[in-house]
Amino acid sequence: MQNFQVNPIGYINVSEDGMFIRLERKYIPAIQALDGFSHINVIWWFSGFDNEEMRSVLESPQPYKRSPDVMGIFATRSPIRPNPIALTAAQIVRIDHEQGIIHLAYIDANDGSPVLDIKPYTPSLDRVETPGVPEWCRHWPMSIEESGSFNWEDEFNF
């Protein structure tokens, strides 16, 4: 079995000042020409869920109210998974190139979560016109913009 080494390029900051990614100084040159993209895909680490026990969980008892009784972990967006990697499409509010800070409208990460990579969101590769989803979640919003006003608390069993 091959092991991979990944190192954080920065960290998520969530505070009264907002939500942003603070890059490690050596990675600041990597955000050149990111201006103009409205969104980025942020690959980050569910660091609070990284232990041997949580990495061995492969099934979840009905995480969503309308979902099947048992779901495979790969059919969920649970932080508990074999490799606690997360992916979030996030809207860029502004970029401070000098400090290496990307201000975000929202990200579903905890303060201090390590950021592994950033990729620009490009509709030609990241957008699916008519995605198929199971019946139990077809009533969910079809965009990030619609998700902001959706009552997600009515969807989860936790």
Side-chain angles (χ1 to χ4, degrees):
M1 178 180 204
Q2 185 177 3
N3 286 318
F4 299 93
Q5 180 175 348
V6 273
N7 298 303
I9 61 164
Y11 294 88
I12 301 292
N13 287 127
V14 178
S15 69
E16 63 278 348
D17 296 329
M19 298 181 169
F20 50 94
I21 297 169
R22 183 180 304 274
L23 294 172
E24 295 289 338
R25 182 143 303 280
K26 72 179 183 178
Y27 295 109
I28 293 175
I31 59 174
Q32 286 183 84
L34 191 58
D35 298 291
F37 287 100
S38 65
H39 291 74
I40 52 177
N41 285 317
V42 182
I43 301 167
W44 53 279
W45 199 257
F46 280 120
S47 53
F49 295 87
D50 189 5
N51 62 52
E52 192 174 327
E53 178 185 348
M54 290 184 188
R55 283 178 171 240
S56 66
V57 174
L58 301 179
E59 296 178 327
S60 175
Q62 196 177 35
Y64 312 105
K65 292 184 178 172
R66 298 183 190 187
S67 69
D69 291 341
V70 176
M71 293 181 68
I73 213 68
F74 296 150
T76 75
R77 293 185 62 97
S78 170
I80 300 169
R81 39 199 337 106
N83 293 302
I85 297 170
L87 170 66
T88 302
Q91 182 181 359
I92 298 171
V93 173
R94 75 179 181 283
I95 302 171
D96 179 336
H97 288 276
E98 281 189 32
Q99 298 297 315
I101 298 173
I102 304 171
H103 296 261
L104 306 173
Y106 177 79
I107 190 163
D108 59 343
N110 292 329
D111 185 52
S113 296
V115 175
L116 304 179
D117 202 355
I118 297 168
K119 297 179 186 291
Y121 177 93
T122 54
S124 58
L125 296 172
D126 300 318
R127 183 169 184 254
V128 177
E129 289 282 338
T130 54
V133 295
E135 180 66 37
W136 60 266
C137 65
R138 276 199 193 125
H139 65 286
W140 288 3
M142 294 297 283
S143 70
I144 291 173
E145 292 81 6
E146 293 174 1
S147 291
S149 61
F150 187 74
N151 188 355
W152 286 104
E153 291 181 14
D154 287 347
E155 302 300 316
F156 298 103
N157 282 329
F158 50 88

